[in-house]
Amino acid sequence: MRPEKKSQTMKPLTAANKLGVYLPAAPEEFRSAPISFAQLEALRNDPPGWLTELRRTGPFPRDVLARKLGVSNAGLVRARVSETLTAEEIGALLADPPEWLLRERANYAAVRAENARIEAKEAERRAATNRPAKNRG
C-alpha cells in the first residue's frame, strides 16, 4: 500500500496574493494556517462574506491598489504611498487626483504605449521572417 498523498499547501500570504486581498485584513483563521489548493479553489468558487467584502471595499494590497489607480507599483513607491487604501480612499483620490497621481498615470500610459509599439514591431518582424519567399520568375 502506498502512503496517503498529502495535499499541497501554501502560506496564507501566497493564498491572499492569489485571491487579491490584503492579508492583515483577513480573518485570523485564514492568516494562521496553511491553505490547501482545494481550499483556495473553494474560496475562489464560493467566496465567504469576508472575502467578498475585502475584495469590494479593501484595504487593498499594493498590486491591486496600483491597478485601481492606473499606475505601476514603482509609481506608488515614487509617490511614497506605503499604506494600503480602501475603495473609499481610492475613490477620493480619483475624484480629486493629486499631482503625483496625474504624473504617474501619464507615465504608466506612456510606458504601456511604448511596450505595445515594441510588441507590434516584434510581431511584424516575426511575420516577415516566417513568410515564404516570393516566386520570382
Side-chain angles (χ1 to χ4, degrees):
M1 279 175 99
R2 290 185 172 166
E4 193 173 313
K5 187 176 180 180
K6 277 190 164 182
S7 175
Q8 285 188 316
T9 61
M10 63 191 86
K11 293 178 181 177
L13 179 59
T14 303
N17 287 339
K18 289 180 181 289
L19 293 170
V21 296
Y22 184 57
L23 182 61
E28 176 60 33
E29 61 270 11
F30 180 83
R31 291 181 284 150
S32 62
I35 311 295
S36 72
F37 284 90
Q39 289 171 312
L40 179 68
E41 275 309 302
L43 288 169
R44 282 181 173 153
N45 295 332
D46 187 22
W50 65 264
L51 181 55
T52 303
E53 186 66 16
L54 270 181
R55 286 177 168 169
R56 188 173 64 77
T57 62
F60 299 102
R62 181 177 296 274
D63 60 326
V64 175
L65 176 60
R67 191 171 52 249
K68 286 182 176 288
L69 289 174
V71 300
S72 65
N73 285 337
L76 291 176
V77 171
R78 282 190 295 272
R80 294 187 172 95
V81 176
S82 58
E83 70 275 1
T84 60
L85 300 177
T86 63
E88 188 176 307
E89 292 166 326
I90 292 169
L93 275 175
L94 293 174
D96 186 20
E99 191 272 329
W100 70 263
L101 182 55
L102 296 174
R103 183 181 60 246
E104 290 301 335
R105 290 181 99 186
N107 184 34
Y108 188 58
V111 168
R112 288 179 54 197
E114 178 63 8
N115 287 344
R117 184 192 69 78
I118 291 169
E119 191 174 301
K121 189 174 181 177
E122 183 63 23
E124 193 176 287
R125 186 195 61 77
R126 281 192 307 270
T129 304
N130 292 333
R131 275 191 219 138
K134 288 186 178 180
N135 187 1
R136 297 180 188 182

